[in-house]
Short mmCIF file of all heavy atoms in Angstrom, two decimals:
data_model
loop_
_atom_site.label_atom_id
_atom_site.label_comp_id
_atom_site.label_asym_id
_atom_site.label_seq_id
_atom_site.Cartn_x
_atom_site.Cartn_y
_atom_site.Cartn_z
N GLU R 1 0.83 -1.20 0.00
CA GLU R 1 0.00 0.00 0.00
C GLU R 1 0.87 1.25 0.00
O GLU R 1 0.58 2.22 -0.71
CB GLU R 1 -0.91 -0.01 1.22
CG GLU R 1 -1.81 1.23 1.32
CD GLU R 1 -2.68 1.20 2.56
OE1 GLU R 1 -2.88 0.11 3.12
OE2 GLU R 1 -3.14 2.28 2.97
N GLU R 2 1.95 1.24 0.78
CA GLU R 2 2.86 2.38 0.82
C GLU R 2 3.49 2.64 -0.54
O GLU R 2 3.81 3.78 -0.90
CB GLU R 2 3.96 2.14 1.86
CG GLU R 2 3.48 2.19 3.30
CD GLU R 2 4.58 1.85 4.28
OE1 GLU R 2 5.72 1.62 3.81
OE2 GLU R 2 4.31 1.80 5.49
N LEU R 3 3.66 1.58 -1.33
CA LEU R 3 4.23 1.71 -2.66
C LEU R 3 3.18 2.08 -3.71
O LEU R 3 3.50 2.25 -4.88
CB LEU R 3 4.91 0.39 -3.07
CG LEU R 3 6.11 -0.04 -2.21
CD1 LEU R 3 6.54 -1.44 -2.57
CD2 LEU R 3 7.26 0.94 -2.36
N GLY R 4 1.93 2.19 -3.27
CA GLY R 4 0.86 2.53 -4.19
C GLY R 4 0.33 1.34 -4.96
O GLY R 4 -0.35 1.50 -5.98
N ILE R 5 0.63 0.14 -4.50
CA ILE R 5 0.22 -1.09 -5.20
C ILE R 5 -0.95 -1.72 -4.45
O ILE R 5 -0.85 -2.01 -3.26
CB ILE R 5 1.39 -2.09 -5.29
CG1 ILE R 5 2.52 -1.49 -6.12
CG2 ILE R 5 0.92 -3.41 -5.89
CD1 ILE R 5 3.76 -2.34 -6.17
N ARG R 6 -2.05 -1.92 -5.14
CA ARG R 6 -3.22 -2.54 -4.53
C ARG R 6 -3.12 -4.06 -4.63
O ARG R 6 -2.65 -4.60 -5.64
CB ARG R 6 -4.50 -2.09 -5.23
CG ARG R 6 -4.91 -0.66 -4.90
CD ARG R 6 -6.25 -0.33 -5.53
NE ARG R 6 -6.67 1.04 -5.25
CZ ARG R 6 -7.34 1.42 -4.18
NH1 ARG R 6 -7.68 0.52 -3.27
NH2 ARG R 6 -7.68 2.68 -4.00
N VAL R 7 -3.57 -4.73 -3.58
CA VAL R 7 -3.65 -6.19 -3.59
C VAL R 7 -5.11 -6.57 -3.79
O VAL R 7 -5.98 -6.14 -3.03
CB VAL R 7 -3.13 -6.79 -2.27
CG1 VAL R 7 -3.23 -8.32 -2.31
CG2 VAL R 7 -1.69 -6.36 -2.03
N ARG R 8 -5.37 -7.36 -4.83
CA ARG R 8 -6.72 -7.83 -5.11
C ARG R 8 -6.80 -9.32 -4.80
O ARG R 8 -5.87 -10.08 -5.13
CB ARG R 8 -7.08 -7.59 -6.58
CG ARG R 8 -6.99 -6.14 -7.03
CD ARG R 8 -8.08 -5.29 -6.46
NE ARG R 8 -8.09 -3.94 -7.03
CZ ARG R 8 -8.90 -2.98 -6.66
NH1 ARG R 8 -9.80 -3.21 -5.70
NH2 ARG R 8 -8.83 -1.78 -7.21
N ILE R 9 -7.90 -9.75 -4.19
CA ILE R 9 -8.06 -11.13 -3.76
C ILE R 9 -9.23 -11.75 -4.51
O ILE R 9 -10.36 -11.25 -4.43
CB ILE R 9 -8.33 -11.20 -2.24
CG1 ILE R 9 -7.26 -10.40 -1.48
CG2 ILE R 9 -8.35 -12.65 -1.76
CD1 ILE R 9 -7.58 -10.17 -0.02
N ALA R 10 -8.97 -12.84 -5.24
CA ALA R 10 -10.00 -13.46 -6.07
C ALA R 10 -11.17 -13.97 -5.23
O ALA R 10 -12.33 -13.88 -5.66
CB ALA R 10 -9.41 -14.60 -6.89
N SER R 11 -10.91 -14.49 -4.06
CA SER R 11 -11.98 -15.01 -3.22
C SER R 11 -12.82 -13.90 -2.60
O SER R 11 -13.94 -14.14 -2.13
CB SER R 11 -11.41 -15.90 -2.11
OG SER R 11 -10.50 -15.17 -1.30
N ASN R 12 -12.29 -12.67 -2.57
CA ASN R 12 -13.01 -11.50 -2.05
C ASN R 12 -12.74 -10.32 -2.98
O ASN R 12 -12.06 -9.35 -2.60
CB ASN R 12 -12.56 -11.17 -0.62
CG ASN R 12 -12.78 -12.31 0.35
OD1 ASN R 12 -11.94 -13.20 0.47
ND2 ASN R 12 -13.90 -12.29 1.03
N PRO R 13 -13.23 -10.37 -4.22
CA PRO R 13 -12.86 -9.38 -5.23
C PRO R 13 -13.25 -7.94 -4.90
O PRO R 13 -12.64 -7.00 -5.43
CB PRO R 13 -13.59 -9.87 -6.49
CG PRO R 13 -14.69 -10.74 -5.98
CD PRO R 13 -14.17 -11.37 -4.75
N GLU R 14 -14.24 -7.75 -4.04
CA GLU R 14 -14.69 -6.39 -3.73
C GLU R 14 -13.95 -5.80 -2.53
O GLU R 14 -14.15 -4.62 -2.21
CB GLU R 14 -16.20 -6.40 -3.44
CG GLU R 14 -17.04 -6.97 -4.58
CD GLU R 14 -16.76 -6.25 -5.90
OE1 GLU R 14 -16.59 -5.02 -5.87
OE2 GLU R 14 -16.72 -6.92 -6.94
N LEU R 15 -13.13 -6.57 -1.86
CA LEU R 15 -12.44 -6.07 -0.67
C LEU R 15 -11.38 -5.03 -1.06
O LEU R 15 -10.56 -5.27 -1.95
CB LEU R 15 -11.78 -7.22 0.09
CG LEU R 15 -11.17 -6.86 1.46
CD1 LEU R 15 -11.30 -8.06 2.40
CD2 LEU R 15 -9.69 -6.49 1.34
N ASP R 16 -11.42 -3.90 -0.40
CA ASP R 16 -10.44 -2.82 -0.63
C ASP R 16 -9.69 -2.58 0.68
O ASP R 16 -10.21 -1.96 1.61
CB ASP R 16 -11.15 -1.54 -1.08
CG ASP R 16 -10.14 -0.44 -1.45
OD1 ASP R 16 -8.93 -0.65 -1.23
OD2 ASP R 16 -10.58 0.61 -1.93
N SER R 17 -8.47 -3.08 0.77
CA SER R 17 -7.70 -2.99 2.01
C SER R 17 -7.25 -1.57 2.31
O SER R 17 -6.68 -1.32 3.37
CB SER R 17 -6.49 -3.92 1.95
OG SER R 17 -5.60 -3.51 0.92
N TRP R 18 -7.49 -0.62 1.38
CA TRP R 18 -7.08 0.75 1.62
C TRP R 18 -8.11 1.53 2.43
O TRP R 18 -7.87 2.66 2.82
CB TRP R 18 -6.83 1.46 0.28
CG TRP R 18 -5.56 1.02 -0.38
CD1 TRP R 18 -4.82 -0.09 -0.09
CD2 TRP R 18 -4.89 1.68 -1.45
NE1 TRP R 18 -3.73 -0.18 -0.91
CE2 TRP R 18 -3.75 0.91 -1.76
CE3 TRP R 18 -5.12 2.83 -2.17
CZ2 TRP R 18 -2.85 1.26 -2.76
CZ3 TRP R 18 -4.23 3.19 -3.18
CH2 TRP R 18 -3.10 2.42 -3.47
N THR R 19 -9.27 0.93 2.66
CA THR R 19 -10.29 1.59 3.45
C THR R 19 -10.26 1.04 4.88
O THR R 19 -9.81 -0.09 5.11
CB THR R 19 -11.69 1.34 2.85
OG1 THR R 19 -11.99 -0.06 2.93
CG2 THR R 19 -11.74 1.78 1.40
N PRO R 20 -10.74 1.81 5.87
CA PRO R 20 -10.74 1.31 7.26
C PRO R 20 -11.51 0.00 7.41
O PRO R 20 -11.04 -0.92 8.09
CB PRO R 20 -11.42 2.45 8.03
CG PRO R 20 -11.13 3.67 7.22
CD PRO R 20 -11.17 3.21 5.79
N SER R 21 -12.69 -0.09 6.79
CA SER R 21 -13.48 -1.32 6.90
C SER R 21 -12.79 -2.48 6.19
O SER R 21 -12.81 -3.62 6.65
CB SER R 21 -14.88 -1.11 6.32
OG SER R 21 -14.81 -0.74 4.95
N GLY R 22 -12.16 -2.17 5.05
CA GLY R 22 -11.44 -3.21 4.32
C GLY R 22 -10.25 -3.73 5.09
O GLY R 22 -9.96 -4.93 5.10
N ARG R 23 -9.54 -2.82 5.77
CA ARG R 23 -8.38 -3.23 6.57
C ARG R 23 -8.82 -4.11 7.75
O ARG R 23 -8.16 -5.08 8.10
CB ARG R 23 -7.65 -1.99 7.07
CG ARG R 23 -6.25 -2.28 7.60
CD ARG R 23 -5.48 -0.99 7.85
NE ARG R 23 -5.18 -0.29 6.62
CZ ARG R 23 -5.74 0.86 6.25
NH1 ARG R 23 -6.64 1.43 7.02
NH2 ARG R 23 -5.41 1.45 5.12
N MET R 24 -9.95 -3.76 8.35
CA MET R 24 -10.47 -4.57 9.45
C MET R 24 -10.86 -5.96 8.94
O MET R 24 -10.53 -6.99 9.55
CB MET R 24 -11.69 -3.90 10.08
CG MET R 24 -12.29 -4.70 11.24
SD MET R 24 -13.87 -4.06 11.78
CE MET R 24 -14.90 -4.56 10.40
N MET R 25 -11.54 -6.01 7.78
CA MET R 25 -11.94 -7.29 7.21
C MET R 25 -10.72 -8.13 6.84
O MET R 25 -10.72 -9.35 6.98
CB MET R 25 -12.81 -7.05 5.98
CG MET R 25 -13.31 -8.34 5.32
SD MET R 25 -14.26 -9.38 6.46
CE MET R 25 -15.69 -8.33 6.73
N LEU R 26 -9.67 -7.46 6.38
CA LEU R 26 -8.44 -8.16 6.03
C LEU R 26 -7.87 -8.88 7.24
O LEU R 26 -7.46 -10.05 7.16
CB LEU R 26 -7.42 -7.17 5.48
CG LEU R 26 -6.08 -7.75 5.04
CD1 LEU R 26 -6.27 -8.73 3.89
CD2 LEU R 26 -5.13 -6.61 4.63
N GLY R 27 -7.84 -8.21 8.39
CA GLY R 27 -7.35 -8.84 9.60
C GLY R 27 -8.19 -10.03 10.01
O GLY R 27 -7.66 -11.07 10.44
N VAL R 28 -9.51 -9.90 9.85
CA VAL R 28 -10.41 -11.02 10.17
C VAL R 28 -10.15 -12.21 9.25
O VAL R 28 -10.07 -13.36 9.71
CB VAL R 28 -11.88 -10.57 10.05
CG1 VAL R 28 -12.82 -11.77 10.19
CG2 VAL R 28 -12.20 -9.53 11.11
N LEU R 29 -9.98 -11.94 7.95
CA LEU R 29 -9.75 -13.02 6.99
C LEU R 29 -8.42 -13.72 7.25
O LEU R 29 -8.32 -14.95 7.15
CB LEU R 29 -9.78 -12.46 5.57
CG LEU R 29 -11.14 -12.01 5.05
CD1 LEU R 29 -11.00 -11.31 3.70
CD2 LEU R 29 -12.10 -13.20 4.92
N LEU R 30 -7.38 -12.95 7.58
CA LEU R 30 -6.08 -13.56 7.86
C LEU R 30 -6.13 -14.42 9.13
O LEU R 30 -5.56 -15.51 9.17
CB LEU R 30 -5.02 -12.47 8.01
CG LEU R 30 -4.53 -11.82 6.71
CD1 LEU R 30 -3.71 -10.57 7.01
CD2 LEU R 30 -3.71 -12.81 5.89
N SER R 31 -6.84 -13.94 10.14
CA SER R 31 -6.98 -14.73 11.37
C SER R 31 -7.76 -16.01 11.11
O SER R 31 -7.42 -17.08 11.61
CB SER R 31 -7.69 -13.89 12.45
OG SER R 31 -6.92 -12.76 12.80
N SER R 32 -8.82 -15.90 10.30
CA SER R 32 -9.62 -17.08 9.96
C SER R 32 -8.80 -18.08 9.16
O SER R 32 -8.91 -19.30 9.36
CB SER R 32 -10.85 -16.66 9.15
OG SER R 32 -11.68 -15.81 9.90
N ALA R 33 -7.96 -17.56 8.25
CA ALA R 33 -7.11 -18.44 7.44
C ALA R 33 -6.12 -19.19 8.31
O ALA R 33 -5.86 -20.38 8.09
CB ALA R 33 -6.37 -17.62 6.37
N ARG R 34 -5.57 -18.51 9.31
CA ARG R 34 -4.61 -19.17 10.21
C ARG R 34 -5.31 -20.26 11.02
O ARG R 34 -4.78 -21.36 11.20
CB ARG R 34 -3.98 -18.13 11.15
CG ARG R 34 -3.00 -18.75 12.15
CD ARG R 34 -1.85 -19.46 11.44
NE ARG R 34 -1.04 -20.22 12.34
CZ ARG R 34 0.00 -19.71 13.01
NH1 ARG R 34 0.32 -18.43 12.89
NH2 ARG R 34 0.71 -20.49 13.80
N TYR R 35 -6.52 -19.95 11.50
CA TYR R 35 -7.28 -20.95 12.25
C TYR R 35 -7.60 -22.15 11.37
O TYR R 35 -7.42 -23.31 11.79
CB TYR R 35 -8.58 -20.33 12.77
CG TYR R 35 -9.53 -21.34 13.38
CD1 TYR R 35 -9.31 -21.87 14.64
CD2 TYR R 35 -10.66 -21.77 12.67
CE1 TYR R 35 -10.18 -22.81 15.19
CE2 TYR R 35 -11.53 -22.71 13.21
CZ TYR R 35 -11.29 -23.22 14.47
OH TYR R 35 -12.15 -24.15 15.00
N GLU R 36 -8.03 -21.88 10.15
CA GLU R 36 -8.35 -22.97 9.23
C GLU R 36 -7.12 -23.81 8.93
O GLU R 36 -7.19 -25.04 8.84
CB GLU R 36 -8.92 -22.40 7.93
CG GLU R 36 -9.32 -23.46 6.91
CD GLU R 36 -9.81 -22.86 5.61
OE1 GLU R 36 -9.77 -21.62 5.47
OE2 GLU R 36 -10.24 -23.63 4.73
N SER R 37 -5.97 -23.14 8.79
CA SER R 37 -4.72 -23.85 8.52
C SER R 37 -4.38 -24.81 9.65
O SER R 37 -3.97 -25.95 9.43
CB SER R 37 -3.59 -22.84 8.33
OG SER R 37 -2.34 -23.49 8.23
N ASP R 38 -4.57 -24.33 10.90
CA ASP R 38 -4.27 -25.18 12.05
C ASP R 38 -5.19 -26.39 12.09
O ASP R 38 -4.75 -27.52 12.39
CB ASP R 38 -4.42 -24.37 13.35
CG ASP R 38 -3.34 -23.30 13.49
OD1 ASP R 38 -2.32 -23.40 12.79
OD2 ASP R 38 -3.54 -22.36 14.28
N VAL R 39 -6.47 -26.17 11.79
CA VAL R 39 -7.44 -27.27 11.80
C VAL R 39 -7.11 -28.28 10.71
O VAL R 39 -7.09 -29.50 10.93
CB VAL R 39 -8.88 -26.73 11.63
CG1 VAL R 39 -9.86 -27.88 11.43
CG2 VAL R 39 -9.28 -25.90 12.84
N ILE R 40 -6.84 -27.76 9.49
CA ILE R 40 -6.51 -28.65 8.38
C ILE R 40 -5.23 -29.41 8.64
O ILE R 40 -5.10 -30.60 8.33
CB ILE R 40 -6.39 -27.83 7.07
CG1 ILE R 40 -7.76 -27.29 6.66
CG2 ILE R 40 -5.82 -28.70 5.94
CD1 ILE R 40 -7.72 -26.38 5.45
N GLY R 41 -4.24 -28.70 9.25
CA GLY R 41 -2.97 -29.36 9.57
C GLY R 41 -3.16 -30.53 10.52
O GLY R 41 -2.56 -31.59 10.36
N LYS R 42 -4.01 -30.33 11.53
CA LYS R 42 -4.28 -31.40 12.49
C LYS R 42 -4.97 -32.56 11.82
O LYS R 42 -4.65 -33.73 12.05
CB LYS R 42 -5.14 -30.84 13.63
CG LYS R 42 -5.26 -31.76 14.83
CD LYS R 42 -3.94 -31.91 15.55
CE LYS R 42 -4.07 -32.76 16.80
NZ LYS R 42 -2.77 -32.94 17.47
N ARG R 43 -5.92 -32.23 10.93
CA ARG R 43 -6.64 -33.27 10.20
C ARG R 43 -5.70 -34.02 9.26
O ARG R 43 -5.76 -35.25 9.13
CB ARG R 43 -7.79 -32.64 9.42
CG ARG R 43 -8.76 -33.65 8.81
CD ARG R 43 -9.83 -32.93 8.01
NE ARG R 43 -10.51 -31.95 8.84
CZ ARG R 43 -10.86 -30.74 8.42
NH1 ARG R 43 -10.56 -30.36 7.18
NH2 ARG R 43 -11.51 -29.91 9.22
N ALA R 44 -4.83 -33.26 8.58
CA ALA R 44 -3.88 -33.89 7.66
C ALA R 44 -2.92 -34.80 8.40
O ALA R 44 -2.57 -35.89 7.93
CB ALA R 44 -3.10 -32.81 6.90
N LEU R 45 -2.48 -34.37 9.59
CA LEU R 45 -1.58 -35.19 10.40
C LEU R 45 -2.26 -36.51 10.77
O LEU R 45 -1.64 -37.57 10.72
CB LEU R 45 -1.17 -34.44 11.66
CG LEU R 45 -0.20 -35.17 12.59
CD1 LEU R 45 1.09 -35.50 11.86
CD2 LEU R 45 0.09 -34.32 13.82
N GLY R 46 -3.55 -36.42 11.11
CA GLY R 46 -4.28 -37.65 11.42
C GLY R 46 -4.33 -38.58 10.23
O GLY R 46 -4.19 -39.80 10.37
N GLY R 47 -4.51 -38.00 9.03
CA GLY R 47 -4.52 -38.82 7.81
C GLY R 47 -3.17 -39.44 7.54
O GLY R 47 -3.08 -40.60 7.11
N MET R 48 -2.10 -38.70 7.82
CA MET R 48 -0.75 -39.23 7.63
C MET R 48 -0.47 -40.38 8.59
O MET R 48 0.13 -41.38 8.20
CB MET R 48 0.27 -38.11 7.80
CG MET R 48 0.20 -37.04 6.73
SD MET R 48 1.14 -35.56 7.16
CE MET R 48 2.82 -36.17 7.07
#
């Protein structure tokens, strides 16, 4: 953002991280992704 480059996300094409609401949503999505990763990792370990 400091470089003037926008990041667009295919799964959330309307999200604009340059706005206050978009930045808040970005944090929520990243936290959810980390939680999902931990859950999937545990499930994958069980499969292994």
